[in-house]
């Protein structure tokens, strides 16, 4: 065990006596490890009014360490601080073993992060807890980067996730976090350490599949529309319509992607229903691909909303486009020359209906988006959430699909829309939502709905081979208590 | 007390020895009750890595129970598990009484729900706590349905509300919730059990009155506009204007409903002020209808915003409507024939002002909506909240009312707007906001405001008959400390 | 110590016996102080089902106190209640000293507020805790006004901030808060008392600087545009264009302010980078003005979004303006007379691109705004937050700047745009974003980026004079553990 050399008092510039936590004064915090995180943490703790003592193998004053901090040997540092941050690599944790008796009863804060998931067989905090069982291990601050620590967490997430088996130890760490300008979120006992350690490694994991689907759909529909709207004109009549790429094409592709993504958001739930009907039980696991799909429905829906929002913006700027103004002038002049044609009531009905459906669909869509905000969905109970996301969600899909169908109204009869014998893009986009709505319609027919409801309440159609046990309560009529 | 029959080891497929909670290993969880919830919970616990033991009256292996779970008698199950979920009906809780000594010190999780509020004289968890006083009762998981449990809480609210008198017991349940993919919200001691049990029964209780008002207003204003715009044309000049229903009428009704709902959001606060002035005290309760009205002001305002948002969307699509384009062409042609009329500076001023007021009003309205989000309003203190919701709220009402008044500018002088001697709809819609703004103006005049402020600080105009007690500090000048 | 006079039982109208907290029954709560807050709190507690006993120096029944409450001497009241609210001024706290033995083990709730920050040398709750060290002091309810308390917290923030050293005491106060309709937020130990006491005093402190900048920019750009668009016309050609103020000018000023505010949101981070490069270390503090600027970046960006949103609304109403319709008719007529000019593909490309960039920029901007909502940003880890706010943020700035540059396309070559030899406003607005983007481009060049990255990981270019200590691991190659 290292002993402090004679110069150690001189190392401390602040020269304040080292004390243990006094009543409501900010006490002494220990930091083992003088790397970037340790130094930055020390600096911030000093600024917040704590006394800081670094524990080091060679307790020599380094100019890198923040002014005002003491440097002692590990054992001495452990002696004066009640809360000790461990800012060293997990691989070096074993230096703590000989210090075990000095660390008994101390709060040991594990701030370590790993490079990838499952790098070690067990979470670092569990390993630490086994190494020094007498200390009270708290996992915290690993979700905070040295950079964000330095700026007081002010340019980013200010949340420090904390877990540990001792409520009292956690409270001490929460106090430290709070005094540095962070808010603390208690994640429960040390069992949560693995989860907390994995947290900073992820980059929108649930958004990857939906984002890939969105990019794929956008690219292929864009190519299809480019072929139909720009290349066709060029090939058949040498007309350069390439300017349509910027707004017209975007305004065709975005709503189509939005509608298809919205369908893809509701399709897995419907497939799950049919699978449960087919299996005759809800206790069988879904295939993996369906599980993964169901997990990212929310993200699917939010991306659909983003594309729908862009569609709305594009629609709004239509009347101020140069191209549109040019066409309107041309049209006005032609109307003038051949006397204005009669006002067509049917066309007025159909165009207004199509727009009105779009407006109402988008309004509901925005509502779905708002209820997806964490703070809003947390304020709803399960029944309310189901009402909004399932009932109103399918209504949104119905409105948006009707909007698209009405948009194509009568157009599907005109031959010139089938360029190169290909259907126009909006028809392609309608296949998926129509299938989803059709299947949903099947599921909500009273007879199917009743069976599905019973399955979801635990009923099973075919009793599994039960071996020796005589089953009580077959046919779902089992008593709630055996 | 039932003893396990010889076959019971054979029931467990996993064949792992039953142990109590080891250090940081996921231990054994008991489940009493083998109904749908119990089975689904057991399956999920097994998947999460727990060992699961079902407690049953007849400890026989049922094929319905998830593979890997043990089935024991109640007493045996209580012996091996530290945390026991009680997935049986409240009516059957009394089977626990003979097990009381086995349950001493155990965490007993009450997951029960009722069919309606006040079904029983006391919350189920309190009843359970009286039946087995030696056990530590925790209320949790009742806000989670079996369906949402099965899907890991992933398609809905992931929050598990927890309450209980022992912090340690709650932490154990929180750990279980977390390992099943839920987040836990600590609601305090077991006193909160009644509230938690009522929670899943509600379906937007605060939204009912505002929604009813909105539907009523929309229906009656729609009927009025239908009469004025469509039926009048048909009756007087046989002109079919029915196509106006889809967009024109919607775009008339929605802003009117929005403005009236916004007024109804601020009216109760003003009425409360006048009532306090009249009573001369703030310690008298408001009548019930006013209390109920004040409770749903936020929902009133949010519905007003929704209608306002639809109005904005409808306004934006005006220029791309077939009807509007037809009218513009007609107008252009007529202007051409009779030489374009002079540009009218006053009309430009008036129309631009009217639109600008609308834009600014809607912008402020959106701001009010954003500050109503739970996470945003929680980040504000009372002073800030008052500033936004009261000051900016009344400013929004003022802007939107001015917008509507300017919209009607000079129109109210034209005789043809009074069809069948009825005022146009926008005038009807203006009555309420003008009344609200007028009353508010009265309240904020310095002399009234000063009295109201004193009342709200506790001053009382008429001392109530005080009996024998000699009052110190009459006229509100009482010292803060007696 | 005052003794209750003989009439004291008669004071209680409810006549229920005073008991201590029974099992799960709502017990007796004491309130010291009969001012507005104390009385309102008493009324609400009675309504919620608590028994309330006021502690008073002169224990006489006052008609001001809510019916059903008891009034006793301080010592007697302290005897019957386990939780005691202290609703008196801090200056009068010393009356508690002689009661210290009666208050031992009681939960003493400090609800006091100050008139300004740092009014007293220490937080009121700490002072109280020193006066009565045997009591368990909990700071709570100070963020709740008497008015909001009376209305059950229903028209405002329902959060009660709680801190205290005893978990058990806090839970009791949390229970009271919950039963009055509030939610409680545990802020940790009594160390947080100062922060909680300062909380109700602030009025959007972080928004002041950004708001001042926004007002300043809006006013000066408005004046500039007024000069260029309205006064110039009037002076040079006596044309009254004053109607342009309402929409045209607003729609010029708002996007410019938005773009400049967005640049100002990203400029401090870039300046900080250059400062770190210049200093060669990240351990040197930034100058105060830069620190303050960095602290309000989020608010800067949100104000930019608000102005951008208004710009979008103004753009959307362009085609329905009287002025625009008049111009369109004039243009149509002139096109008709001199035969419609050829459709210009380049103009179509350029106008569509400019609009499309604006739409995409605004879409990304909205995304940035959504991720700034507390509940959304709390759900992201630091890596995700950095990705959205830094990567997508700079992309937004790039899109919006390009949008503005394309808007001015070729216009900067035309002489008539330089009225009175002054550049048009959009050019003025472009200076700042172009500078910001240029500097950012410098920072992300590989060679500069590599150095900056090393500095941010703790490397220092110039070792500071280190005195006697021999530094291990100079040049940033120090081992993570000394």
């Amino acid at each position: 065990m290292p002993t402090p050399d004679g110069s150690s008092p001189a190392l401390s510039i602040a020269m304040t006596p080292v004390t243990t936590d006094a009543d409501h004064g900010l006490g002494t915090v220990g930091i083992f490890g003088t790397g970037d995180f340790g130094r930055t943490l020390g600096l911030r703790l000093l600024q917040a009014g704590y006394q800081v003592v670094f524990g080091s193998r060679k307790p020599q004053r380094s100019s890198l360490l923040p002014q005002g901090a003491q440097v002692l040997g590990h054992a001495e540092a452990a002696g004066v601080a009640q809360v000790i941050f461990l800012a060293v690599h997990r691989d070096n944790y074993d230096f703590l073993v000989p210090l075990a008796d000095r660390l008994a009863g101390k709060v040991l804060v594990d701030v370590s992060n790993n490079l990838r998931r499952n790098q070690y067989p067990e979470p670092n905090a569990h390993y630490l807890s086994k190494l020094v069982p007498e200390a009270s291990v708290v996992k915290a601050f690993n979700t905070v980067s040295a950079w964000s620590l330095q700026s007081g967490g002010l340019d980013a997430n200010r949340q420090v996730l904390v877990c540990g088996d001792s409520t009292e130890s956690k409270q001490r760490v929460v106090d430290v976090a709070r005094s540095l300008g962070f808010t603390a979120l208690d994640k429960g006992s040390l069992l949560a350490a693995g989860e907390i350690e994995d947290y900073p490694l992820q980059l929108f994991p649930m958004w990857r599949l939906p984002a890939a689907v969105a990019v794929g759909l956008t690219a292929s529909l864009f190519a299809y529309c480019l072929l139909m709207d720009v290349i066709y004109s060029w090939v058949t009549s040498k007309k350069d319509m390439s300017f349509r790429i910027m707004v017209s094409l975007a305004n065709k592709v975005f709503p189509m992607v939005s509608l298809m993504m919205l369908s893809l958001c509701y399709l897995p739930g419907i497939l799950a229903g049919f699978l449960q009907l087919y299996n005759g039980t809800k206790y069988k696991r879904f295939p993996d691909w369906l599980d993964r799909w169901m997990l990212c429905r929310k993200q699917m829906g939010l991306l659909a909303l983003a594309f729908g929002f862009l569609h709305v913006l594009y629609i709004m700027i239509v009347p101020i486009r140069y191209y549109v103004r040019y066409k309107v002038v041309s049209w006005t002049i032609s109307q003038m020359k051949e006397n204005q044609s009669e006002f067509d009531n049917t066309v007025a009905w159909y165009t207004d209906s199509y727009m009105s459906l779009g407006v109402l669909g988008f309004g509901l869509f925005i509502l779905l988006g708002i209820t997806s905000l964490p703070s809003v969905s947390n304020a709803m109970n399960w029944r309310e959430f189901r009402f909004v996301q399932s009932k109103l969600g399918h209504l949104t899909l119905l409105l948006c699909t009707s909007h698209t169908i009405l948009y194509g109204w009568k157009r599907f009869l005109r031959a010139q829309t089938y360029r190169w014998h290909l259907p126009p893009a909006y028809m392609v986009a309608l296949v998926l939502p129509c299938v989803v709505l059709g299947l949903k319609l099947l599921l909500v027919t009273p007879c199917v709905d009743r069976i599905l409801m019973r399955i979801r309440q635990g009923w099973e159609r075919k009793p599994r081979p039960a071996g020796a046990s005589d089953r009580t309560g077959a046919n779902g009529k089992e008593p709630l208590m055996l």
Side-chain angles (χ1 to χ4, degrees), chain A residues 230-243:
Chain A
V230 177
I231 298 177
Y232 179 87
S233 298
W234 182 250
V235 168
T236 57
S237 53
K238 291 282 171 214
K239 249 171 84 181
D240 179 9
M241 304 292 275
S242 64
F243 72 91

Side-chain angles (χ1 to χ4, degrees), chain A residues 50 63 113 146 200 228 238 250 289 323 336 401 417 434 437 449 469:
Chain A
Y50 285 95
S63 66
N113 265 327
M228 301 284 280
K238 291 282 171 214
W289 58 267
Y323 172 66
M336 171 113 204
T401 308
T417 58
C434 287
L437 286 172
D449 186 48
S469 76

Side-chain angles (χ1 to χ4, degrees), chain A residues 37 110-113 139-149 153 156-162 182-185 187 193 195-202:
Chain A
F37 190 89
D110 184 309
V111 302
S112 62
N113 265 327
K139 179 86 207 179
F141 278 95
N142 73 308
T143 57
V144 172
S145 71
W147 168 246
S148 128
L149 184 66
N157 191 332
R158 300 176 71 173
Q159 236 173 9
V160 168
L161 305 183
V162 180
F182 294 93
T183 58
L185 187 65
K187 296 287 276 183
E195 193 188 305
I196 294 182
E197 285 177 12
D198 282 346
Y199 185 70
L201 296 174
Q202 68 195 28

